[in-house]
Structures are given as structure tokens and as C-alpha cells.
Amino acid sequence: MESANRVDFVSVVVPVYNESGCLDELLSRTLAVLDEIGRRFEFILVDDGSSDDSAEKIVRAAEARPDQVVAVILNRNYGQHNAIMAGFSLVRGDLVVTMDADLQNPPEEIPNLIAAAEKGNDVVGTIRQNRRDTFFRRYASKVVNCAARAATGVMMNDYGCMLRAYRRGVVDAMLQCHERSTFIPVLGNGFARRTTEIPVAHAARTVGDSKYSLWKLINLQFNLLTCMTTLPLRILTYFGLGAGLFGFLLSLYIIVRRLCPGGDTWGNAGVFTLFAVTFILVGIQMIGIGVIGEYIGRIYTDVRARPRFFIEKIVGRKNA
């Protein structure tokens, strides 16, 4: 193993949102793993505006093990990816591991991520084996993965799993990106020279429910498509060209039929067909306006340059 690829300091970043029931087990299992890896480490937990006592629990953990456990308290809920970016802004390790707080991503997989990174990979993704999610969640993940592959051209199989590892240089590059809508796995791959994926275990959620409702998954899909690619606009262009060609051919067909014997009767009976075609074209136009409006809205949000997150306090970090 080349010394340049060795990982000496590991930072683990976990966003926390109303996960009070999981936190005690998360802390005990993750710290047990980190204590055994034989490297310096820091465990950064970012409370993303929880309404339960999650913030109080991670503050107590940080006070018990300062500089190894760091509690970052955001003033309100900013979303999973922005919470992770808040954690990224404080990391000191040369390898940064992200994972969810619900323990569906086992902390015991962290040594495997480190080993894969030490083989010279800048980003280590994961593929969840024997997923314990519902059919709806599995299907939604497939849609997100297909969109991510189309947007980035990087052929990874499981963009939805947040159990991932990033070299410090990749994290620093992501922090220089100031767009408000961020999908971290895709953004990180854009700065990686070498990427890989490893299989990891997947556990069923034992406490609480998933924070991703149907509406949030739809919103995530919009964020992914509009913040990483102009593919929707290109698709609309193709739709427009296809609709224009169809309309031109239909016009020629109507003219020919009107010139043929009995064409008047067909023309009168075809009025409703023309209405149907018109409604289809109007629908395509409205979809196009909506997608363009989505892009313009994101431009407006980015131009205002408001912070993606606001850290209320940091506990457990010396000289914070």
C-alpha cells in the first residue's frame, strides 16, 4: 500500500433529524468501531432542526468526549444534504465518511470504506445488499439512480445510499460550490479522479419512520435533475420538435383529405380530434414553462446567495 493513500485521520459526518430513538445505539456502535480502527477520528453529528431531544443527546455526547464527538446545532431544518455540508465545513480528517442516523447503514462497514479508499480511490460508494426498505422506496431509488447516471455519466449503482467516503480534496472542492440545491453523491463524483463501489449490509429501520415522504422524494428528483444537468430542457426541445413535425404532417393530411371526395364530411367529424391534438400541444407547452420556471427559480435563489445553513452552536470542538 502506498503511503500517499494511507488514511491517518477519519471524520464521520451524520445528519440528525428527529432520531432520538436511534441516537444512543448510533453513538455506542459508531464509537466502538472508531475506537478500534487505530486512527485518529472525529464523529460529527449535525442536528438539522430536530423537534425532539436529539440535539440535547448529541450535545451530551460531545461534552463527554470532546474533540472526538462534535455536536453541530443548526438553527432550523435545512435538509439532509445541506446538513452534511455543514458538517463538511468543520471536518479535519483526510477521509470523510457520511452515513444516516437511522442505523440502516451499519457503522461496522466504516473499516471497509477506509480500506477501499486506501487503494487509491477518491470516492467510495456503496451498494446496499438485501435491502430492507419497502417496494416504494426501492422503486424510487431506482428512478433516482437512473437520473443520477444520466446527469453525471458516472456509472454507479446506488446513489441513494449515504454511507460513502470522500477524500478531503473532494470535500474541499464541494465546499467551493455555492449553489443552494446540492445532491452530494453526484457532486462528489464530479471532482473524483477514481471512484469505486463496495457491497455493504443493510438493516431494517427499528425506530421511527423514514423522513422522505412521497413529496420529498419528488422534490429530491427535481433537485437532482435541475441542479446537475440541463437534460430536462433538452428533452423539452425534442418534444417541441416532435410536436411541430407531427402538427405539420397532420396539416398536410387534412389538406389532402379535404381535396378528396367526401373530405368535407371527414373535416367536420375531425374537429374533436384537432381539439385533442391542441390540448396535447398546450400541455407540452405548459410543462415546458414549468421546467423553465424551475431553472429560473433556482437561478434567483443562487443569485441571492443566502447561506445554505446557519450553525447556531458547536459543542465538543476546541477553539470552535
Side-chain angles (χ1 to χ4, degrees), residues 13-300:
V13 177
V14 177
V16 177
Y17 180 62
N18 292 340
E19 297 287 3
S20 176
C22 300
L23 279 177
D24 291 335
E25 184 179 356
L26 172 70
L27 285 161
S28 62
R29 287 174 58 182
T30 306
L31 289 173
V33 171
L34 294 175
D35 285 333
E36 293 177 358
I37 61 175
R39 295 167 171 83
R40 296 174 60 203
F41 70 86
E42 60 182 1
F43 186 19
I44 301 175
L45 297 107
V46 183
D47 181 75
D48 190 24
S50 298
S51 57
D52 60 9
D53 63 344
S54 295
E56 290 77 6
K57 283 190 173 184
I58 64 175
V59 165
R60 287 196 297 269
E63 291 172 342
R65 296 185 63 166
D67 243 24
Q68 287 188 322
V69 179
V70 180
V72 181
I73 310 301
L74 305 184
N75 67 320
R76 65 172 181 83
N77 178 255
Y78 290 92
Q80 180 187 32
H81 293 267
N82 284 328
I84 293 175
M85 293 298 286
F88 282 174
S89 69
L90 297 172
V91 297
R92 297 174 298 178
D94 48 335
L95 184 72
V96 182
V97 176
T98 62
M99 65 180 189
D100 291 328
D102 57 13
L103 290 172
Q104 288 192 275
N105 305 146
E108 291 77 15
E109 297 285 356
I110 292 175
N112 297 328
L113 292 171
I114 297 173
E118 290 185 329
K119 293 179 180 178
N121 295 298
D122 300 310
V123 172
V124 181
T126 54
I127 305 173
R128 291 167 285 189
Q129 304 297 300
N130 301 318
R131 288 191 59 177
R132 303 299 181 88
D133 289 325
T134 63
F135 172 79
F136 169 73
R137 289 298 305 276
R138 293 196 299 270
Y139 181 78
S141 291
K142 288 182 179 180
V143 174
V144 170
N145 288 330
C146 289
R149 287 192 289 268
T152 63
V154 179
M155 301 307 293
M156 279 194 163
N157 294 288
D158 195 350
Y159 278 95
C161 184
M162 290 306 297
L163 180 59
R164 310 175 81 85
Y166 305 89
R167 283 283 180 179
R168 177 64 177 275
V170 174
V171 171
D172 289 341
M174 285 193 279
L175 289 171
Q176 294 180 42
C177 300
H178 301 294
E179 63 264 28
R180 308 276 78 77
S181 297
T182 302
F183 191 77
I184 289 174
V186 173
L187 185 62
N189 281 351
F191 296 108
R193 183 182 181 89
R194 291 185 59 186
T195 64
T196 189
E197 284 183 300
I198 62 173
V200 295
H202 189 248
R205 173 184 276 272
T206 57
V207 179
D209 299 315
S210 172
K211 304 305 183 293
Y212 276 102
S213 61
L214 174 61
W215 175 248
K216 286 186 176 181
L217 286 171
I218 294 173
N219 190 46
L220 176 65
Q221 187 67 30
F222 268 112
N223 282 342
L224 174 61
L225 288 175
T226 57
C227 74
M228 292 297 173
T229 179
T230 57
L231 180 62
L233 294 177
R234 194 172 302 119
I235 291 174
L236 283 173
T237 301
Y238 297 150
F239 265 120
L241 290 173
L245 178 61
F246 176 75
F248 175 73
L249 295 176
L250 182 61
S251 299
L252 290 179
Y253 181 71
I254 292 173
I255 292 173
V256 172
R257 288 299 303 264
R258 289 296 297 267
L259 294 176
C260 293
D264 289 339
T265 303
W266 179 88
N268 293 332
V271 171
F272 292 104
T273 302
L274 294 179
F275 274 132
V277 172
T278 301
F279 286 139
I280 292 172
L281 297 180
V282 170
I284 293 174
Q285 289 177 333
M286 295 302 294
I287 292 172
I289 292 172
V291 172
I292 293 171
E294 185 77 19
Y295 277 97
I296 293 174
R298 296 191 184 282
I299 293 171
Y300 171 65

